[in-house]
């Protein structure tokens, strides 16, 4: 294994802890990412570190527990020793005789001996997050507590309610031991990852399917090719009898007779394969068997290799936990999404723009049996008809002018065994709708300019921000395709129908942007929150996110009423009701007005296309479906 530096993260509100860790690790040449957060606020920072390749995070006790529940990388806590507690209690006894000791989730061991030695009374209080910690400290006043022991966050709340505070220290020995443990964990993880990766690479690098069995005929190992051929995920296959998946397989006979069967032609799901069945012998006893099989068609093996190459990075990053809410209607949406994720049926997610439809789609994929396979997303309204068709279904070399040499696989091929998400599906042209219907019915695609069908196994998720039944009745959307897409439906309510979510969303956005800027989160007064709850929010959660980001950037850490009023006034001016009043007050509709409006809209479309293509006239003309001469003429006319 090639030696390389470790990549650590440290999350703590105490400067001395961070500086101590930084000094030790940077002297040794290791990389370190730092975040001055604690408890709930530390979770976004931890996720960001995990995304940036941090291999282990060091943190304080309660914060470390919360991070472990949200991350997939090791999180090590600086231990709180009995000597640390005794030292803090001794210091606290000089400030008061009734001492509050907040502990995270569970009480510490018997402290009676320490109480007796120091002549004090220690009250342990359990907390679970930042809110319960503050409540615990506030309620300790009623119990007559005079001193609080804890970290920086604890002491900040203690000062807020007029209590004395003693900060828990981390000794150099404890810090050094924790860092050494983290190094050992990272080293062990790297070695295990390399072994696992090498093992999977060996069996996955071959185009043949590989299935290993124990002596009872239960599946213990499968590779990707086997899962693809059998149309079954690895998780569903491990531990199952091989006869469930291949009822006519002679592997059971091989386990009994210990005689291998080579080049045996067998059928699975109407497909034909050549099998080799070999017993695994240890000390003269048969302890299992291995079946390897390959498709008779070399083309299929080549296509599987291409798929594995092209689908890297096509992943869903959101989980249902990312849908911040308090309302029952959103909880019902999440419950429905969780239930639908267990099926393989097509789902239509409907709702206004900015309500979080793509988050729900990605979450469903991550909860489904297809989660380890690609998630491919495309916005049907963002591309012209000919580009959308080639992106979805692919094309062969020479299919049209400008086509790639060797052709290009479509998104359905790239998403094989995974999920395709069609956003704004109502905007899909009718010609593309016809081809999509065939994919849903036959589970196969034909590239543009191609002469052969390619079988695909994908799940379709679609989203629409329009009334789909109205689109069908108007003839803009095929009725048969609508019924195919609308097998299961999830309606995401607009923000105005769930106003109780607005305060929690605003608070979460403020904390996120404040953490990114290392600012103290500002607090919005109650009457201002009521204003936000009363607003129409035509842009829904996306618009609220934008509002809070601007508020944090302009107001920094102190709430400013003038800035809030200014930003809120912009919201009101944008609201549909205000726009209707403006339109009613506008000049009467005449031929001149209509021409002017058309030119304005056309200019805006060209401007957006130029921005999207980075001001390349050739790409802009292709995107708009016009010639470069026509585009240049239009630009010249509009200045």
């Amino acid at each position: 294994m090639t030696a390389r530096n470790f990549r650590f993260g440290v999350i703590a509100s105490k400067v001395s802890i961070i500086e101590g860790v930084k000094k030790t690790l940077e002297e040794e040449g290791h990389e370190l990412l730092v975040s001055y957060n604690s408890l709930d606020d530390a979770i976004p920072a931890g996720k960001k570190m995990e995304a940036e390749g941090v291999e282990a995070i060091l943190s304080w006790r309660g914060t470390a527990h919360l991070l472990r529940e949200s991350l997939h990388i090791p999180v090590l806590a600086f231990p709180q020793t009995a000597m640390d507690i005794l030292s803090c209690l001794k210091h606290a006894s000089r400030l008061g005789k009734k001492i509050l000791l907040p502990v995270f989730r569970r009480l510490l061991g018997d402290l009676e001996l320490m109480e007796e030695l120091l002549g004090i009374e220690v009250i342990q209080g359990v907390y679970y997050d930042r809110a319960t910690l503050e409540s615990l400290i506030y309620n300790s006043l009623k119990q007559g507590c005079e001193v609080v022991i804890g970290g920086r966050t604890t002491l900040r709340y203690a000062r807020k309610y007029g209590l004395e505070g003693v900060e828990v220290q981390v000794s150099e020995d404890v810090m050094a031991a924790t860092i050494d443990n983290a190094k050992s964990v990272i080293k062990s993880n790297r070695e295990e990852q390399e072994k696992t990766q090498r093992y999977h690479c060996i069996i996955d690098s071959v185009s043949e399917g590989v299935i290993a069995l124990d002596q009872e005929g239960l599946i213990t190992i499968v590779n990707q090719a086997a899962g693809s051929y059998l149309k079954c995920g690895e998780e569903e296959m491990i531990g199952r009898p091989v006869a469930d998946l291949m009822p006519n397989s002679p592997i059971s006979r091989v386990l009994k007779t210990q005689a291998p069967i080579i080049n045996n032609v067998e059928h699975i799901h109407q497909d034909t394969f050549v099998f080799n069945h070999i017993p695994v012998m240890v000390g003269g006893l048969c302890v299992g068997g291995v079946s390897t099989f390959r498709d008779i068609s070399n083309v299929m093996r080549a296509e599987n290799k291409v798929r594995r190459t092209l689908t890297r990075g096509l992943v869903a990053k959101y989980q249902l936990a990312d849908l911040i809410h308090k309302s029952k209607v959103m909880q019902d949406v999440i419950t429905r999404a969780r239930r639908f994720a267990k099926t393989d049926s097509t789902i239509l997610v409907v709702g206004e723009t900015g309500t979080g439809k793509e988050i729900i789609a990605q979450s469903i994929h991550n909860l489904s049996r297809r989660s380890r396979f690609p998630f491919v997303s495309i916005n049907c309204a963002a591309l012209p008809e000919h580009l959308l068709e080639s992106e979805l279904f692919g094309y062969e070399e020479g299919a049209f002018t400008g086509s790639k040499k060797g052709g290009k696989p479509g998104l359905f091929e790239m998403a094989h065994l995974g999920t395709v998400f069609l956003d704004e599906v109502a905007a899909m042209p009718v010609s593309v709708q016809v081809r999509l219907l065939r994919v849903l019915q036959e589970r196969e695609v034909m590239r543009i300019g191609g002469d052969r069908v390619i079988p695909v196994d994908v799940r379709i998720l679609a989203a629409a921000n329009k009334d789909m039944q109205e689109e069908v009745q108007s003839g803009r959307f095929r009725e048969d395709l609508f019924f195919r897409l609308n097998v299961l439906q999830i309606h995401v309510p607009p923000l105005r129908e769930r106003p109780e979510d607005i305060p929690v969303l605003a608070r979460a956005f403020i904390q996120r942007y404040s953490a990114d800027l290392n600012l103290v989160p500002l607090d919005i007064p109650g009457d201002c929150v009521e204003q936000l709850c009363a607003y129409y929010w035509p842009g829904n959660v996306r618009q609220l996110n934008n509002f809070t980001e601007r508020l944090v950037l302009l107001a920094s850490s102190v709430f400013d009423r003038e800035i809030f009023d200014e930003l809120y006034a912009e919201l009101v001016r944008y609201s549909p009701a205000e726009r209707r009043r403006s339109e009613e007050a506008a000049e009467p509709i005449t031929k001149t007005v209509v021409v002017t409006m058309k030119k304005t809209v056309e200019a805006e479309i060209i401007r957006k296309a130029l921005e999207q293509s980075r001001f390349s006239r050739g790409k802009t003309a292709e995107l708009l479906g016009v010639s470069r001469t026509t585009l240049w003429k239009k630009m010249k006319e509009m200045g």
Side-chain angles (χ1 to χ4, degrees):
M1 182 175 69
T2 304
R4 65 183 192 275
N5 292 338
F6 295 151
R7 191 170 173 83
F8 289 91
V10 58
I11 301 178
S13 58
K14 186 175 174 59
V15 177
S16 61
I17 291 178
I18 290 179
E19 291 302 320
V21 174
K22 186 185 294 187
K23 180 181 177 183
T24 301
L25 292 177
E26 289 183 350
E27 285 178 354
E28 298 176 1
H30 299 297
E31 294 182 61
L32 179 65
L33 274 67
V34 170
S35 176
Y36 293 87
N37 285 295
S38 62
L39 297 177
D40 318 52
D41 295 343
I43 295 174
K47 288 183 176 180
K48 185 178 179 183
M49 288 183 180
E50 184 178 32
E52 292 175 357
V54 165
E55 298 174 277
I57 292 177
L58 304 170
S59 189
W60 194 242
R61 187 172 173 227
T63 303
H65 277 283
L66 292 173
L67 288 171
R68 287 190 193 110
E69 294 172 352
S70 302
L71 306 180
H72 299 94
I73 57 176
V75 180
L76 286 82
F78 298 106
Q80 197 171 5
T81 66
M83 290 303 297
D84 293 334
I85 296 173
L86 179 59
S87 176
C88 289
L89 290 175
K90 183 178 178 182
H91 186 182
S93 67
R94 303 190 192 104
L95 302 173
K97 296 303 179 183
K98 198 163 187 178
I99 300 167
L100 173 66
L101 180 60
V103 291
F104 187 79
R105 291 190 179 175
R106 59 179 181 178
L107 298 174
L108 299 178
D110 191 2
L111 300 176
E112 290 182 1
L113 181 59
M114 294 184 186
E115 290 178 304
E116 186 178 339
L117 287 171
L118 299 172
I120 56 175
E121 181 183 352
V122 179
I123 297 176
Q124 291 192 66
V126 177
Y127 68 95
Y128 302 91
D129 51 28
R130 187 179 290 271
T132 54
L133 174 61
E134 182 175 5
S135 176
L136 173 66
I137 294 172
Y138 173 74
N139 291 327
S140 70
L141 291 169
K142 301 174 185 177
Q143 298 174 279
C145 290
E146 303 165 86
V147 190
V148 180
I149 294 175
R152 291 289 291 275
T153 303
T154 301
L155 298 193
R156 188 163 68 246
Y157 289 139
R159 287 193 297 271
K160 180 177 178 180
Y161 297 111
L163 293 169
E164 294 289 340
V166 174
E167 187 170 7
V168 178
Q169 302 296 324
V170 178
S171 68
E172 292 184 4
D173 291 342
V174 168
M175 188 176 294
T178 307
I179 291 172
D180 285 340
N181 288 340
K183 292 176 187 175
S184 298
V185 169
I186 293 175
K187 185 177 179 182
S188 176
N189 281 352
R190 284 186 179 181
E191 292 173 350
E192 190 62 32
Q193 287 170 7
E194 287 195 9
K195 288 179 183 177
T196 303
Q197 189 63 27
R198 191 178 297 113
Y199 167 79
H200 280 294
C201 282
I202 291 171
I203 66 169
D204 285 336
S205 63
V206 295
S207 57
E208 290 85 0
V210 178
I211 299 179
L213 317 171
D214 64 13
Q215 57 190 352
E216 303 297 328
L218 301 179
I219 298 174
T220 57
I221 297 171
V222 293
N223 71 343
Q224 290 181 358
S228 176
Y229 292 148
L230 297 174
K231 297 178 176 58
C232 199
E234 180 180 351
E235 296 83 1
E236 299 175 68
M237 298 170 70
I238 299 296
R240 289 179 62 183
V242 69
D244 288 356
L245 298 170
M246 299 185 295
N248 301 317
S249 173
I251 184 66
S252 300
R253 187 165 73 248
V254 171
L255 296 178
K256 293 177 182 177
T257 64
Q258 302 170 16
I261 298 176
I262 306 298
N263 294 331
N264 193 50
V265 177
E266 301 173 27
H267 300 279
I268 303 175
H269 305 308
Q270 288 89 43
D271 296 323
T272 306
F273 300 90
V274 177
F275 272 83
N276 291 330
H277 303 291
I278 303 170
V280 176
M281 308 298 294
V282 176
L285 296 175
C286 180
V287 296
V290 175
S291 294
T292 62
F293 52 106
R294 62 188 184 276
D295 188 357
I296 290 177
S297 169
N298 292 328
V299 175
M300 180 62 74
R301 293 203 301 271
E303 287 180 346
N304 284 338
K305 182 180 179 182
V306 171
R307 284 169 181 161
R308 288 195 297 272
T309 302
L310 294 178
T311 54
R312 292 172 188 164
L314 298 175
V315 296
K317 62 182 179 179
Y318 291 112
Q319 306 283 350
L320 286 176
D322 295 311
L323 284 169
I324 302 166
H325 69 286
K326 185 180 179 182
S327 63
K328 183 180 182 302
V329 289
M330 278 305 292
Q331 185 56 49
D332 291 343
V333 168
I334 290 172
T335 301
R336 177 172 287 200
R338 199 180 300 277
R339 186 167 68 249
F340 287 176
K342 297 176 183 177
T343 73
D344 215 18
S345 302
T346 304
I347 300 174
L348 179 63
V349 186
V350 295
E352 294 181 6
T353 181
T355 51
K357 298 186 291 297
E358 181 156 7
I359 294 178
I360 289 175
Q362 292 193 22
S363 302
I364 288 173
H365 172 78
N366 282 329
L367 287 170
S368 73
R369 67 179 181 84
R370 299 176 181 268
S371 59
R372 68 189 184 93
F373 296 106
F375 177 88
V376 178
S377 173
I378 188 168
N379 189 310
C380 299
L383 296 174
E385 179 177 339
H386 65 285
L387 286 181
L388 177 61
E389 193 170 11
S390 64
E391 284 295 311
L392 285 174
F393 308 111
Y395 56 82
E396 297 291 355
E397 182 177 344
F400 50 83
T401 303
S403 59
K404 269 187 183 179
K405 185 177 181 181
K408 178 185 175 185
L411 296 183
F412 283 105
E413 290 180 67
M414 294 169 67
H416 185 61
L417 299 179
T419 303
V420 171
F421 175 54
L422 304 172
D423 198 8
E424 296 194 53
V425 71
M428 181 179 288
V430 175
S431 62
V432 183
Q433 292 177 31
V434 175
R435 297 198 64 168
L436 175 60
L437 184 62
R438 177 172 180 81
V439 175
L440 288 169
Q441 290 174 335
E442 306 298 334
R443 297 295 168 178
E444 59 187 26
V445 296
M446 182 181 290
R447 294 182 183 180
I448 298 173
D451 57 1
R452 62 190 176 92
V453 294
I454 302 170
V456 291
D457 177 13
V458 294
R459 183 189 196 176
I460 306 292
L461 304 179
N465 55 17
K466 296 180 180 179
D467 186 334
M468 292 299 292
Q469 293 185 4
E470 184 178 315
E471 294 295 303
V472 170
Q473 290 170 3
S474 68
R476 290 187 294 268
F477 202 85
R478 291 179 62 98
E479 185 177 43
D480 47 4
L481 178 58
F482 170 68
F483 289 136
R484 281 283 183 178
L485 293 175
N486 196 38
V487 178
L488 300 173
Q489 187 179 113
I490 296 176
H491 172 69
V492 188
L495 200 53
R496 61 184 172 276
E497 293 181 8
R498 45 188 177 102
E500 60 268 44
D501 287 345
I502 293 174
V504 293
L505 282 165
R507 192 179 307 116
F509 293 151
I510 288 171
Q511 289 177 348
R512 179 194 304 168
Y513 293 122
S514 298
D516 290 343
L517 298 170
N518 285 327
L519 298 172
V520 176
L522 55 85
D523 190 21
I524 302 180
D527 60 325
C528 294
V529 173
E530 290 178 6
Q531 281 184 262
L532 296 178
C533 292
Y535 179 61
Y536 186 79
W537 296 111
N540 293 292
V541 179
R542 187 181 294 120
Q543 188 183 15
L544 176 61
N545 189 355
N546 175 273
F547 175 85
T548 53
E549 181 178 8
R550 296 174 66 193
L551 185 64
V552 170
L553 288 170
L554 294 174
S556 296
S557 295
V558 180
F559 180 79
D560 189 312
R561 173 75 66 167
E562 289 186 7
I563 292 175
F564 177 87
D565 290 342
E566 179 184 339
L567 296 177
Y568 188 79
E570 290 183 21
L571 292 179
V572 172
R573 284 197 296 273
Y574 181 77
S575 69
E578 186 66 28
R579 289 207 305 275
R580 281 196 296 272
R581 283 195 293 272
S582 300
E583 290 164 2
E584 290 168 2
E587 60 181 304
I589 298 298
T590 64
K591 185 175 180 180
T592 304
V593 171
V594 170
V595 171
T596 304
M597 289 172 66
K598 275 185 68 178
K599 287 185 176 180
T600 303
V601 171
E602 195 173 12
E604 184 61 26
I605 291 172
I606 293 175
R607 187 179 296 110
K608 287 184 178 178
L610 281 165
E611 291 174 355
Q612 185 174 330
S613 60
R614 298 181 181 273
F615 297 92
S616 165
R617 291 175 190 163
K619 291 182 180 178
T620 301
E622 184 181 356
L623 190 63
L624 295 173
V626 299
S627 68
R628 293 185 62 169
T629 304
T630 302
L631 174 65
W632 176 248
K633 183 179 177 182
K634 290 284 185 185
M635 291 171 63
K636 198 170 181 181
E637 286 176 1
M638 298 170 183

